[in-house]
Amino acid sequence: MTDRFTRPSRKAFLKLAAAGASAALGLGALPALAADPAPEWPTKPVRIITPFPVGAGPEGVVRLLADKLQKAWGKPVIVENRPGGNGFIAIDAFRQGAKDGHDLMHLDNVHLVAYPHLFKKLPYDPVKDFEPVLPLFRANFFLTTAANSKYRNVGDILAEARANPGKLNYGSWSVGNPVHLGTALLEAMTNTEMQHVVYKETSKLYTGVANGELNFALGTMATAGPLQRAGKIKFIGTTGLKRHPAFPDVPTVAESGGPAGYEVSGWTTIATPKGLPKAVADRIQRDLEKALAEPEIAQRYAAFGYDLFPTTREQFGSFIQSESTKWAGVIQRAKASLD
């Protein structure tokens, strides 16, 4: 006797096959595929490595932010100071650290937009090693001279620089920092040549301005403000495109006889390692933005003369690229180079 059976339709067969596979795996009915869940983060203390020494203005901001982030993340957030070596000591510690977001890097703007054009060989790759999240602040500078200086405005300084090429001097604390390059930009935009004098300490730098050793120097409210308030130096121009609200009587460099469009600012950023899961990267950015929006941050910024610099990740990337292009030209004209 021949057994007879009914061949199932293709639709029924596929349904039976799926059910059989589910039963074999002990899964029951197959659910719709779900997106990968966001990884649990942080699972341990988070470290922010900074190249700034304890007590520096940018370092103080990071410590304040670390306290806010610790509350948001439920894990300790430790600020680790690794000053010296142009920031390379701190960067090396970051490059050897965790790649999952538990190690973050506090970078000065020069590490991303100036040093790649200044150093013949860098111990890091600014594109491959970092993913800048957002700028923490932006600080414009003031052009400072001695309180009893004959220079009343930036135009007076430029007039003397043109009359005596290479004799007028200005100071900074190293080659390639924003104060040095900001003045080199002024030279480039006015076709002048001035002498750069390097001081090892910022306190001595502005004392040099006050006693006339230096004709002028760029400085922030944090670095040059104490001597300005003591009446030892004066501000004759600000490097922003508009006047600073804390010093409404100080003109911009352009208003003070300098070139139109001249702008110099310092800024810092928190960077993550490349390749973080998007959920982790987005959380770090979101929580940093929330911390920066708190009133306590605004109060600290007002004391240092810092400004909030809100921007999207894409806009920040474009800004970094434009800054890199600008400083590449300035460094090339100044023929500045470091090993």
Side-chain angles (χ1 to χ4, degrees), residues 163-285:
N164 301 284
K167 292 186 178 181
L168 203 71
N169 65 19
Y170 66 94
S172 83
W173 55 85
S174 66
V175 173
N177 65 75
V179 167
H180 168 220
L181 296 180
T183 312
L185 176 63
L186 183 64
E187 292 178 274
M189 294 181 71
T190 57
N191 196 30
T192 55
E193 297 290 341
M194 294 178 266
Q195 182 182 359
H196 178 214
V197 181
V198 177
Y199 283 70
K200 292 184 178 181
E201 299 178 17
T202 55
S203 59
K204 292 183 178 180
L205 165 65
Y206 297 105
T207 299
V209 174
N211 63 26
E213 292 175 8
L214 292 172
N215 294 117
F216 72 96
L218 299 183
T220 64
M221 282 176 58
T223 55
L227 285 178
Q228 187 270 342
R229 291 190 291 272
K232 303 294 184 181
I233 63 176
K234 60 185 178 182
F235 295 165
I236 61 173
T238 179
T239 65
L241 292 179
K242 58 183 181 180
R243 299 188 182 199
H244 196 282
F247 294 89
D249 295 333
V250 178
T252 65
V253 166
E255 293 172 333
S256 188
Y262 176 79
E263 181 184 19
V264 178
S265 63
W267 46 270
T268 68
T269 182
I270 291 292
T272 68
K274 284 283 190 177
L276 277 189
K278 186 176 185 300
V280 174
D282 287 348
R283 181 176 183 186
I284 292 172
Q285 177 166 359

Side-chain angles (χ1 to χ4, degrees), residues 27-53:
L27 299 176
L30 282 176
L33 291 176
D36 290 337
E40 183 182 354
W41 185 95
T43 59
K44 59 183 181 180
V46 176
R47 180 173 63 154
I48 303 177
I49 305 171
T50 178
F52 292 94

Side-chain angles (χ1 to χ4, degrees), residues 284-303:
I284 292 172
Q285 177 166 359
R286 182 175 63 251
D287 291 341
L288 271 172
E289 289 173 343
K290 288 181 180 178
L292 287 168
E294 294 198 19
E296 189 178 355
I297 297 293
Q299 294 171 4
R300 180 66 64 90
Y301 278 17

Side-chain angles (χ1 to χ4, degrees), residues 12 26 36 39 42 56-57 66 79 89 114-115 122 137 176 179 195 208 236-237 248 275 318:
D36 290 337
V79 177
I89 297 172
Y115 284 179
L122 279 178
F137 65 80
V179 167
Q195 182 182 359
I236 61 173
S318 298

Side-chain angles (χ1 to χ4, degrees), residues 8-250:
S9 66
R10 176 179 175 82
K11 182 176 181 181
F13 177 79
L14 292 175
K15 184 175 181 180
L16 287 169
S22 299
L25 294 173
L27 299 176
L30 282 176
L33 291 176
D36 290 337
E40 183 182 354
W41 185 95
T43 59
K44 59 183 181 180
V46 176
R47 180 173 63 154
I48 303 177
I49 305 171
T50 178
F52 292 94
V54 175
E59 190 264 359
V61 168
V62 168
R63 286 194 177 274
L64 189 58
L65 288 173
D67 182 62
K68 308 293 183 186
L69 295 173
Q70 181 167 292
K71 295 174 183 176
W73 293 341
K75 298 290 183 183
V77 178
I78 302 160
V79 177
E80 184 172 301
N81 301 83
R82 294 287 189 99
N86 298 299
F88 299 163
I89 297 172
I91 289 172
D92 184 62
F94 171 76
R95 292 177 72 235
Q96 295 184 38
K99 306 301 180 186
D100 58 2
H102 287 93
D103 277 346
L104 304 176
M105 184 69 210
H106 180 213
L107 290 169
D108 196 9
N109 60 331
V110 294
H111 296 124
L112 296 174
V113 302
Y115 284 179
H117 310 294
L118 184 66
F119 283 86
K120 295 177 182 178
K121 186 177 180 180
L122 279 178
Y124 64 90
D125 188 313
V127 175
K128 295 180 180 179
D129 289 336
F130 310 115
E131 189 67 56
V133 179
L134 78 174
L136 301 186
F137 65 80
R138 193 173 189 172
N140 291 318
F141 296 92
F142 295 92
L143 197 151
T144 72
T145 64
N148 59 357
S149 169
K150 63 181 179 181
Y151 306 123
R152 297 165 299 170
N153 52 49
V154 178
D156 289 343
I157 289 177
L158 294 177
E160 183 162 330
R162 293 187 182 100
N164 301 284
K167 292 186 178 181
L168 203 71
N169 65 19
Y170 66 94
S172 83
W173 55 85
S174 66
V175 173
N177 65 75
V179 167
H180 168 220
L181 296 180
T183 312
L185 176 63
L186 183 64
E187 292 178 274
M189 294 181 71
T190 57
N191 196 30
T192 55
E193 297 290 341
M194 294 178 266
Q195 182 182 359
H196 178 214
V197 181
V198 177
Y199 283 70
K200 292 184 178 181
E201 299 178 17
T202 55
S203 59
K204 292 183 178 180
L205 165 65
Y206 297 105
T207 299
V209 174
N211 63 26
E213 292 175 8
L214 292 172
N215 294 117
F216 72 96
L218 299 183
T220 64
M221 282 176 58
T223 55
L227 285 178
Q228 187 270 342
R229 291 190 291 272
K232 303 294 184 181
I233 63 176
K234 60 185 178 182
F235 295 165
I236 61 173
T238 179
T239 65
L241 292 179
K242 58 183 181 180
R243 299 188 182 199
H244 196 282
F247 294 89
D249 295 333
V250 178

